[in-house]
Amino acid sequence: MKLYLLAGEASGDVLGARLIAALRRRAPGLEFAGVGGERMAKQGVDSLFPMRELSLMGLLEVLPNLRRLARRLDQAEADILARRPDLLVTIDAPSFTLRLAERVRPKGIRVVHYVAPQVWAWRPGRVREIARRVDRILALLPFEAPFFEAAGIPVTFVGHPVLESGADAGDAARFRAAHGLGPADRPVIVMPGSRRGEIRRLLGPFGEALRLAAGAVPGLRPVLPIAGQVEAAVRAGTADWPVRPILVTDLADKHDAYAAVARSGGAGLIKSGTSSLEMAVAGIPHVVGYRANPITAEIVRRLIKVRYVSLVNLLAERELAPERLQQDCTPAALSAVLARLLTDPAAGAAQREGFAAVRALLRAPEGLPSEAAATAVLAELRPAPGLAAPALT
């Protein structure tokens, strides 16, 4: 039995690698091929082409690369049809992966899409197109299943992978010792994004916000977990920050940083996205800031159907973590919220209290997200002999 997995960005690479590992524990004879990054490569997937070519976001970022993306789409289609896998698992990156699914599904390839497209947020009419492209969706958020099922798409809620990320398992003392933090130092998590466009738009305002907040918070020390593809840009962009940052590239060090921040009454200054859920799992109060390209932002503003951009706030159904977006994403506005979280214990406590309910909503009944996803994928392979999904233990 052969599975073809296609991930389009770093988060999808993590999901793909965990899914492969869980599947191997259940069905060791499965074969894997596809497109992924370093983590999927460690699980034995020799990527058809570099995954980073698909990690684009926003209209102006995609347009200059349309010709290359079209070639990669043709290449992936040809590879899938030549291999004839028993199942194609497309992972997030819907602009690319669902176009691919649309091409190969009519030619007899069954498709499971992992991570429900966020059309519920801004393009609900597109759900009918998705119904023609996939056989099942593996959803990360509990409210997504009813939305897609109403359009006739089978959905399995598998839970959010942040629950098995290790974000709540760091060692605070180890981090403070490794980076020479004294008792008076107040570490603050700063996450301006993992894409070059996000870094370009957010690093400046975030840096100035930290400078302003440092005036009210003695000992403030920014900690920036950075992904490899933007490491050079982050190092260059923070070189002249008046508040010297700690740059973290190792995953274990990142989780140790979370623990150090949480245990010292610290806070986070982050972009919207999965990072807000990481903060909720780690127990770190935070403010969400985001600036998209102005043209992209105007298009999205006209289409968006939800009140919040932060997943924490969507799940809580209220602004649990303050959002400062587009024209409101200014150094002064960000620093005001950050300073309040660092100096007013009640402000931080209110967020931490709300995080417990959010974390409960992220867990599926079947167990860990990767195990629940593996169970759902194996069920799509039935009635192949010898591949019935065993009960979770």
Side-chain angles (χ1 to χ4, degrees), residues 260-296:
V261 172
R263 284 158 179 72
S264 66
L269 171 58
I270 67 168
K271 74 171 190 71
S272 62
T274 303
S275 49
S276 66
L277 294 181
E278 289 190 13
M279 296 296 96
V281 169
I284 300 174
H286 56 279
V287 54
V288 174
Y290 200 77
R291 287 182 182 175
N293 177 283
I295 296 175
T296 302

Side-chain angles (χ1 to χ4, degrees), residues 11 107 113 158 173 253 258 279 283 316 328 336 368 382 391-392:
S11 59
K107 298 172 183 176
H113 188 69
V158 298
D253 205 17
Y258 288 174
M279 296 296 96
D328 295 327
L368 290 176
R382 292 176 182 169
L392 287 170

Side-chain angles (χ1 to χ4, degrees), residues 295-332:
I295 296 175
T296 302
E298 181 59 23
I299 294 171
V300 171
R301 187 187 66 80
R302 293 172 181 271
L303 296 172
I304 197 161
K305 305 297 182 184
V306 293
R307 292 181 61 188
Y308 308 111
V309 302
S310 164
L311 291 174
V312 163
N313 293 339
L314 284 171
L315 288 163
E317 298 184 321
R318 60 190 175 95
E319 195 180 56
L320 183 59
E323 297 181 354
R324 299 294 181 266
L325 312 174
Q326 289 305 108
Q327 68 272 14
D328 295 327
C329 182
T330 64

Side-chain angles (χ1 to χ4, degrees), residues 62-83:
V62 171
L63 283 176
N65 296 282
L66 281 177
R67 185 172 296 178
R68 187 179 75 235
L69 289 171
R71 288 197 302 269
R72 292 309 194 193
L73 195 61
D74 292 342
Q75 186 180 1
E77 178 188 7
D79 195 45
I80 290 168
L81 295 179
R83 292 177 182 271

Side-chain angles (χ1 to χ4, degrees), residues 34-334:
V35 175
E38 293 180 3
R39 292 175 180 270
M40 286 172 61
K42 290 179 180 177
Q43 292 293 332
V45 175
D46 186 12
S47 188
L48 179 65
F49 52 79
M51 185 192 71
R52 63 178 178 274
E53 294 187 13
L54 306 182
S55 299
L56 301 169
M57 185 176 182
L59 183 65
L60 295 192
E61 289 84 353
V62 171
L63 283 176
N65 296 282
L66 281 177
R67 185 172 296 178
R68 187 179 75 235
L69 289 171
R71 288 197 302 269
R72 292 309 194 193
L73 195 61
D74 292 342
Q75 186 180 1
E77 178 188 7
D79 195 45
I80 290 168
L81 295 179
R83 292 177 182 271
R84 302 301 302 183
D86 297 281
L87 190 68
L88 167 64
V89 180
T90 52
I91 308 173
D92 209 2
S95 295
F96 186 91
T97 58
L98 292 182
R99 282 186 173 86
L100 178 63
E102 184 178 30
R103 291 187 180 193
V104 302
R105 188 171 180 250
K107 298 172 183 176
I109 304 297
R110 288 180 58 77
V111 180
V112 169
H113 188 69
Y114 194 178
V115 183
Q118 292 186 349
V119 292
W120 43 264
W122 61 296
R123 295 183 69 184
R126 279 202 62 201
V127 71
R128 292 185 294 274
E129 299 174 27
I130 296 169
R132 298 194 298 268
R133 300 178 184 186
V134 305
D135 295 283
R136 179 169 294 275
I137 286 175
L138 306 185
L140 309 188
L141 301 170
F143 57 76
E144 292 172 325
F147 174 83
F148 288 98
E149 286 170 344
I153 305 173
V155 181
T156 302
F157 169 54
V158 298
H160 201 284
V162 72
L163 295 175
E164 53 187 318
S165 67
D168 58 344
D171 186 322
R174 182 168 60 195
F175 183 83
R176 299 188 78 93
H179 296 281
L181 295 181
D185 286 320
R186 300 288 303 279
V188 171
I189 287 291
V190 183
M191 302 180 75
S194 59
R195 297 180 178 92
R196 289 178 177 84
E198 291 172 333
I199 296 297
R200 186 171 60 251
R201 288 186 291 269
L202 294 177
L203 204 58
F206 279 19
E208 179 62 13
L210 290 163
R211 185 189 69 79
L212 294 173
V217 185
L220 186 148
R221 290 295 305 275
V223 181
L224 280 76
I226 49 178
Q229 65 267 27
V230 295
E231 181 176 351
V234 172
R235 290 190 182 280
T238 59
D240 60 350
W241 277 15
V243 184
R244 186 168 60 88
I246 299 170
L247 304 183
V248 171
T249 58
D250 178 75
L251 183 61
D253 205 17
K254 170 184 171 179
H255 293 157
D256 288 351
Y258 288 174
V261 172
R263 284 158 179 72
S264 66
L269 171 58
I270 67 168
K271 74 171 190 71
S272 62
T274 303
S275 49
S276 66
L277 294 181
E278 289 190 13
M279 296 296 96
V281 169
I284 300 174
H286 56 279
V287 54
V288 174
Y290 200 77
R291 287 182 182 175
N293 177 283
I295 296 175
T296 302
E298 181 59 23
I299 294 171
V300 171
R301 187 187 66 80
R302 293 172 181 271
L303 296 172
I304 197 161
K305 305 297 182 184
V306 293
R307 292 181 61 188
Y308 308 111
V309 302
S310 164
L311 291 174
V312 163
N313 293 339
L314 284 171
L315 288 163
E317 298 184 321
R318 60 190 175 95
E319 195 180 56
L320 183 59
E323 297 181 354
R324 299 294 181 266
L325 312 174
Q326 289 305 108
Q327 68 272 14
D328 295 327
C329 182
T330 64
L334 294 170

